[in-house]
Amino acid sequence: MRNETRGTVELTLAMVLSGTLGVFVVESGASPFEVVFFRCLFGAVALGAYGLARGFFTGHGFTRGKLGLAALGGVFIVFNWVFLFEAYRAASISLATVVYHTQPFFLVLLGALFLRERISAGKLGWLVLAFAGLVLVSGVRPGDTATLAGLGCALAAAVLYALATFVTKRITGVRPHLVAFVQVLVGIPLLLPFVDFGAAAGLGGGWWWLVGLGFLHTGVMYVLMYAAYNKLPTAKIAVLAFVYPAVAMGVDWAVYGHHIGLVQALGVPLIVLAGLKVTRAARTPGAGPVPRTAGRAAEAASPAATRAG
């Protein structure tokens, strides 16, 4: 029980960090492409140093096929971040975060499309409920093109995250820290052509926010998450994952004064409840703590967009 308590604390801290991600993105003053590029750069340094210190690169378990899958997942993850960070700017951190939590449903649809997995009547009902919540949360008029574009970016980010999850779940026998290291490493050359280094040089204090994104939200947060996954049952991971959107909305209100309206607020519990039910339905009977090498799959199963964070 003491081990599970420690895991609960670790995952809660990781989700709280995830909830502050939007402020770091906005306060950096950099464009989404530049934010993601430097997050990948500093994140690779943090995860690489941790992996070296722990000896993870010895007997890493990568084969050419697994490395290719990790790299492909990295492409999806990197552009998922780009779209999500653009959604923060165009809509708000709160709205983008809630819409982003439709990820589990896209994962269900991908399974049905590519693996011929049957969608049960129960899951279909939760999908419909989540869609109703999404309609309520959007709460924008047709003429509000900026917010509509932001919500569209958040949906695109959710689809890309589901694709990354779908690909990465097929990697077994490799520590999740190393998979994440490869993914952020892929983002460096991938985004290099889109980075305006002249504009980045003039960020001033914005650099501290970018460093925080790399070392705190990519290094420390991932280490906390993966440590927690080894100690907690899947159902508890799914429940604790909702600390992330709660913190994100609270921080958005406290720092920027953004809050969702009454009608939009009605949609939030619909998406959260549906996501929780779909996630828990995927749990096998009697499942215990998540195995060490299953960290990525567990993270994918939880509706928290910890990759946003």
Side-chain angles (χ1 to χ4, degrees):
M1 188 64 181
R2 183 177 300 174
N3 206 36
E4 184 172 328
T5 300
R6 181 176 177 181
T8 300
V9 172
E10 288 169 339
L11 189 55
T12 301
L13 289 174
M15 293 300 99
V16 169
L17 273 176
S18 292
T20 64
L21 179 102
V23 173
F24 278 69
V25 171
V26 173
E27 291 301 313
S28 73
S31 73
F33 280 110
E34 288 154 10
V35 171
V36 177
F37 174 81
F38 288 110
R39 182 184 188 183
C40 287
L41 181 63
F42 296 131
V45 172
L47 289 172
Y50 181 78
L52 282 173
R54 296 296 302 271
F56 289 168
F57 290 98
T58 303
H60 49 73
F62 274 120
T63 62
R64 182 178 299 179
K66 292 176 183 178
L67 195 58
L69 285 173
L72 178 60
V75 173
F76 292 135
I77 282 293
V78 166
F79 284 106
N80 142 77
W81 283 339
V82 171
F83 276 104
L84 180 62
F85 296 169
E86 179 59 36
Y88 288 161
R89 301 201 315 174
S92 71
I93 295 171
S94 298
L95 283 178
T97 300
V98 172
V99 173
Y100 190 52
H101 275 67
T102 56
Q103 306 157 18
F105 310 107
F106 290 115
L107 190 58
V108 168
L109 294 175
L110 286 172
L113 183 63
F114 293 105
L115 301 179
R116 299 184 182 277
E117 293 178 350
R118 187 177 67 87
I119 300 179
S120 65
K123 281 188 179 180
L124 188 60
W126 291 119
L127 284 169
V128 172
L129 187 66
F131 179 76
L134 182 61
V135 172
L136 289 172
V137 165
S138 66
V140 291
R141 293 170 294 183
D144 192 355
T145 54
T147 304
L148 284 172
L151 296 181
C153 285
L155 277 175
V159 172
L160 287 167
Y161 183 85
L163 285 167
T165 296
F166 188 77
V167 169
T168 309
K169 281 176 71 175
R170 272 112 196 109
I171 303 173
T172 57
V174 180
R175 291 182 184 272
H177 310 77
L178 298 184
V179 176
F181 173 68
V182 169
Q183 291 179 335
V184 293
L185 211 57
V186 164
I188 298 172
L190 191 63
L191 295 182
L192 186 60
F194 303 101
V195 178
D196 183 349
F197 286 99
L203 288 176
W207 279 102
W208 292 108
W209 298 99
L210 294 177
V211 170
L213 282 168
F215 285 91
L216 289 177
H217 294 90
T218 311
V220 174
M221 190 181 73
Y222 283 13
V223 169
L224 286 171
M225 282 194 306
Y226 297 143
Y229 289 151
N230 293 330
K231 305 179 182 78
L232 299 174
T234 304
K236 192 160 190 176
I237 291 173
V239 173
L240 288 175
F242 288 103
V243 172
Y244 161 37
V247 172
M249 287 189 284
V251 169
D252 196 25
W253 171 77
V255 178
Y256 301 112
H258 295 158
H259 59 85
I260 58 179
L262 178 60
V263 174
Q264 291 172 303
L266 294 175
V268 174
L270 297 184
I271 294 176
V272 170
L273 177 62
L276 181 59
K277 290 293 186 179
V278 168
T279 300
R280 295 193 68 172
R283 186 190 178 203
T284 55
V290 182
R292 181 181 298 275
T293 55
R296 282 288 303 180
E299 174 193 354
S302 97
T306 49
R307 281 301 178 211

